[in-house]
Amino acid sequence: MKTIQSRMPMFFLMGLVLLLLSACQENTAEEMHSHLEEAVETEEVFEQQQQPLLEAEQREQEIYEEIIDLGLDEMDEIEALAEEALELVDERQERLETERESLHASYEEYEKAIELKDDLEDEEAYAEAETMEEAMEARVAAYEEMYGHYEEALELDSELYEMFQNEDLTIETLSDHIEEINEVYRSIIDAKDDFNTYTDEYNEAKNQFYETSGLEVTQDAAETEVEEPNEEEDSE
């Protein structure tokens, strides 16, 4: 009986240690969950820029086609359309900056979560957190690449509509500039595809982390993807 009695306190002590470790694991995961979902909410401003940006791009494309249809001998109409297009370029620039600021604010909140991953005791939960981290880092890098190309595209678009107001504009000059614009937009599309791919990977890893940690998965709290940008038509 002494042997049994000597083992009982150790049995209860071990149970207490496991209970404390489990509570620590759960608290860490819950705290990470809180920051991750706050990051999603912060990114709502990012999401709100997508449709207006797309609409501005589409209207700008329409203006470009209207100018090409007019020909370079109807300068009054061309100048009015070009001015409208330049205003759209400014709007896109402003929305792009708002989009980027929102993404950065969301990332800062996400970082508060990922900094806690070393406190996770469960190896599977830790592995899912690392997968989530890798996807987010790739996602942000892809966005920054896309942002850089988009900035270049906006500058080229602005130059294009200023060129349209020059009566001495030649078809050759216009054609070269359009090709440069289209090349940049192709780079934007490639970076956008990468961004959306990494967004999907991040959301999948985040949901797996929630499930592994025993947390409720919020199906509609996914990070935002970006819409397809428009390319300019080839010049005639």
Side-chain angles (χ1 to χ4, degrees):
M1 293 182 66
K2 288 183 179 179
T3 303
I4 294 176
Q5 290 176 347
S6 67
R7 288 178 181 172
M8 289 297 286
M10 181 61 69
F11 172 79
F12 287 121
L13 178 60
M14 183 60 67
L16 179 60
V17 170
L18 291 175
L19 180 62
L20 290 174
L21 287 175
S22 176
C24 180
Q25 161 81 16
E26 184 176 348
N27 290 339
T28 298
E30 287 179 351
E31 189 173 355
M32 290 178 69
H33 173 275
S34 177
H35 287 304
L36 292 173
E37 294 311 305
E38 180 64 29
V40 172
E41 292 182 14
T42 303
E43 202 165 302
E44 287 180 1
V45 176
F46 178 102
E47 183 177 2
Q48 291 166 3
Q49 308 312 306
Q50 300 309 303
Q51 187 61 30
L53 267 171
L54 182 61
E55 290 174 357
E57 290 171 357
Q58 290 172 340
R59 175 54 188 153
E60 195 177 316
Q61 179 71 19
E62 291 171 1
I63 290 173
Y64 167 79
E65 292 171 358
E66 289 176 28
I67 290 175
I68 292 298
D69 289 341
L70 284 171
L72 299 178
D73 56 341
E74 300 180 64
M75 288 304 298
D76 289 343
E77 293 182 62
I78 288 175
E79 287 178 3
L81 288 168
E83 285 299 325
E84 182 184 349
L86 287 169
E87 291 176 2
L88 288 168
V89 170
D90 289 341
E91 178 188 342
R92 290 166 61 203
Q93 178 70 60
E94 291 174 5
R95 291 194 178 278
L96 180 68
E97 295 306 322
T98 300
E99 176 188 84
R100 187 172 186 239
E101 288 171 5
S102 174
L103 187 68
H104 283 189
S106 175
Y107 179 74
E108 288 177 5
E109 189 66 32
Y110 149 84
E111 284 188 309
K112 295 176 184 178
I114 212 65
E115 287 170 359
L116 298 171
K117 80 177 189 332
D118 288 339
D119 294 334
L120 294 167
E121 298 291 338
D122 185 272
E123 292 184 2
E124 188 177 355
Y126 180 85
E128 293 294 350
E130 283 205 316
T131 300
M132 184 171 63
E133 182 177 17
E134 291 171 3
M136 176 58 83
E137 294 303 320
R139 178 179 188 252
V140 171
Y143 178 82
E144 288 301 317
E145 181 179 355
M146 182 177 64
Y147 171 84
H149 291 313
Y150 206 104
E151 282 269 278
E152 184 181 359
L154 288 172
E155 183 176 349
L156 290 171
D157 284 348
S158 182
E159 292 173 0
L160 173 67
Y161 296 112
E162 290 172 357
M163 289 168 61
F164 276 132
Q165 299 178 69
N166 181 0
E167 294 184 1
D168 297 326
L169 177 64
T170 65
I171 295 298
E172 182 180 3
T173 300
L174 177 62
S175 179
D176 289 344
H177 195 79
I178 293 298
E179 179 53 40
E180 186 176 2
I181 289 175
N182 285 339
E183 184 176 347
V184 173
Y185 273 103
R186 284 190 283 271
S187 297
I188 293 173
I189 291 170
D190 289 342
K192 182 272 303 179
D193 288 342
D194 288 341
F195 175 84
N196 287 344
T197 296
Y198 292 128
T199 296
D200 290 340
E201 290 181 3
Y202 171 78
N203 285 329
E204 182 179 352
K206 184 178 69 172
N207 288 341
Q208 284 296 119
F209 170 72
Y210 287 171
E211 291 179 9
T212 300
S213 302
L215 299 172
E216 181 179 354
V217 178
T218 305
Q219 296 294 341
D220 60 348
E223 269 63 18
T224 310
E225 297 184 351
V226 292
E227 300 289 346
E228 192 82 39
N230 291 317
E231 292 187 55
E232 302 290 356
E233 296 283 347
D234 291 334
S235 59
E236 295 181 355

